[in-house]
Amino acid sequence: MEHGGWADERYGAVAEAFTRNFEESGELGASVAVFVDGRKVVDLWAGVADERTGRPWDEDTVVPVFSCAKGLVSVCVHLLAQEGHLDLDTPVAVHWPEFARGGKEAVTPRMVLAHRAGLPALDRSLTFDEITAWTPVVRAIEEQKPLWEPGDAHEYHGHTFGFVLGELIRRVTGRTPGQYFREAVGDRLGLRTWIGLPEDEVPHLARLAEAEGRPGNPDPESLVMRIVTMNGAFAFPGLEEPHGWNDPALLRAEIPGAGAVSSARGLATLYAAAATGVDGSPRLLTADTVTDALRELTAGPSWSGFPDLGARWGSGFLLDAPRFRPMLGARSFGNDGSGGQFAFGDDEFGVGFAYTANRMIGHGDARARRLIEALGACLQPA
């Protein structure tokens, strides 16, 4: 299998694992990027970006990365806390007074980051146009009553995570989360990573394809489906227009919990910048900030009784979890996406890693795991 890009000789095992993904996992198009100690050591891409036309995946290809978006939002929130602009343990309502309605006066940013705020889904059903307009979502959140006493339980805040923290970012900075991310991080680092895809980047967008055999949908009225579709406003896992995840209109909007678009290099650079700094620059998040983010806050069965799959959450990031999402160790922090995409950083090993693909298999499938295992072997002392 031919690929573009390169891998440092020491990290050849990652390139071999990348090739195996095409040979053994039916990969369509994909990319992997790795930084170690702030230096890029792997940057590979291969396959097809659009199955309909045969357009190849190239260096500039970007793809929807679903909940990897939560990593972008979390980096922004921790950066603002690090700079003294907000306190993760002070109520959201300090910056957003209307948020306190309905029993949310004690909800803190950390509760949202840990999926413990009691706001996994909204009672109000919003149209696609209302969601992409932003303000109607904010008003619905203000009206929403928590499903449980905030802090006492957890349930994945699939989209509300991004909208609550995104509005908090807007209240603190005067910029939408997508704007703030680009100004504070993305433009500075030259990332091909956006919350709200620019129109001129649409030609570089990979087209998602469903893998055969993916699990069927639960009941549309179930909490899990209400969470991931915002009460049916988004198609899931349906991909086609209108309102599926191949719809440029959806990807151009700011959907900060699950609507980011990125290259693997963009995500790997972000996590490398957070963990170590890139190319000699200071790290984006200090060691103390990362230590705070790594404190386990959420694990076990969810409020609705969803079984414990082994996931562990700190403040905004998945933590190393051998049963659910193994990374490199106790200092690893990241986020995954619905199609199998994954990105993480680790300041003990000095790593920023990302894998993106357009053939949607699912959370925790073998492709990213295989790459991370190969990377781990390369990092062991000779």
Side-chain angles (χ1 to χ4, degrees):
M1 191 265 317
E2 292 185 5
H3 58 68
W6 65 281
D8 183 284
E9 184 177 353
R10 179 178 172 184
Y11 298 91
V14 178
E16 292 170 6
F18 186 63
T19 298
R20 281 183 60 204
N21 280 346
F22 281 83
E23 295 171 348
E24 299 178 14
S25 296
E27 199 76 278
L28 181 60
S31 186
V32 60
V34 182
F35 285 73
V36 176
D37 296 332
R39 183 176 69 89
K40 185 169 61 179
V41 298
V42 177
D43 191 10
L44 297 168
W45 57 87
V48 176
D50 189 333
E51 199 172 23
R52 300 170 306 172
T53 65
R55 172 167 56 91
W57 194 293
D58 62 27
E59 182 176 10
D60 292 327
T61 298
V62 295
V63 67
V65 293
F66 296 95
S67 284
C68 290
K70 293 178 174 65
L72 280 60
V73 172
S74 297
V75 166
C76 289
V77 170
H78 283 288
L79 189 59
L80 288 169
Q82 181 176 284
E83 293 173 346
H85 299 301
L86 62 84
D87 184 328
L88 300 186
D89 299 303
T90 295
V92 170
V94 168
H95 299 282
W96 177 5
E98 303 89 343
F99 179 83
R101 298 173 189 159
K104 302 189 296 299
E105 60 278 356
V107 172
T108 65
R110 197 180 303 278
M111 290 178 189
V112 184
L113 287 164
H115 303 272
R116 305 187 70 85
L119 305 169
L122 299 175
D123 292 336
R124 185 176 164 200
S125 292
L126 299 161
T127 66
F128 178 82
D129 288 343
E130 286 175 322
I131 291 169
T132 57
W134 189 269
T135 300
V137 184
V138 172
R139 297 290 171 260
I141 289 169
E142 291 169 355
E143 297 165 6
Q144 183 67 36
K145 295 180 180 179
L147 297 187
W148 61 82
E149 184 64 28
D152 284 359
H154 73 91
E155 191 77 56
Y156 190 62
H157 287 42
H159 285 289
T160 51
F161 179 105
F163 283 110
V164 174
L165 295 172
E167 179 64 9
L168 179 61
I169 290 168
R170 194 185 72 81
R171 298 281 175 139
V172 170
T173 69
R175 298 168 180 83
T176 65
Q179 291 169 340
Y180 177 73
F181 171 75
R182 289 304 305 183
E183 292 177 18
V185 182
D187 289 342
R188 197 168 81 193
L189 293 170
L191 305 183
R192 293 189 54 71
T193 306
W194 295 272
I195 302 169
L197 185 68
E199 179 65 40
D200 60 3
E201 291 293 339
V202 171
H204 299 295
L205 186 62
R207 186 174 182 81
L208 298 166
E210 280 282 347
E212 56 286 343
R214 266 168 64 88
N217 288 346
D219 178 349
E221 300 302 316
S222 67
L223 181 60
V224 66
M225 285 302 287
R226 290 178 54 221
I227 289 170
V228 299
T229 68
M230 288 200 76
N231 296 333
F234 302 138
F236 189 87
L239 302 175
E240 303 315 314
E241 302 176 39
H243 313 158
W245 293 93
N246 280 325
D247 185 351
L250 189 157
L251 300 172
R252 286 194 298 264
E254 292 196 26
I255 312 293
V261 174
S262 185
S263 66
R265 186 193 303 140
L267 288 173
T269 306
L270 172 66
Y271 278 98
T276 67
V278 175
D279 295 330
S281 64
R283 59 188 292 178
L284 193 62
L285 301 181
T286 66
D288 286 347
T289 295
V290 171
T291 296
D292 181 58
L294 285 166
R295 180 163 50 92
E296 182 185 301
L297 300 176
T298 293
S302 74
W303 174 80
S304 67
F306 197 78
D308 178 11
L309 300 178
R312 301 169 57 238
W313 286 91
S315 295
F317 300 104
L318 280 170
L319 309 181
D320 184 56
R323 281 200 299 125
F324 180 77
R325 179 52 87 182
M327 295 182 239
L328 293 176
R331 298 287 296 185
S332 295
F333 59 101
N335 272 282
D336 64 356
S338 179
Q341 307 92 336
F342 187 53
F344 74 94
D346 188 301
D347 61 359
E348 178 181 356
F349 289 93
V351 163
F353 168 94
Y355 160 79
T356 60
N358 59 346
R359 183 170 181 264
M360 294 183 64
I361 296 179
H363 287 282
D365 67 79
R367 296 170 295 173
R369 186 177 303 214
R370 184 179 285 149
L371 294 165
I372 294 166
E373 288 173 353
L375 172 61
C378 294
L379 292 167
Q380 296 303 314

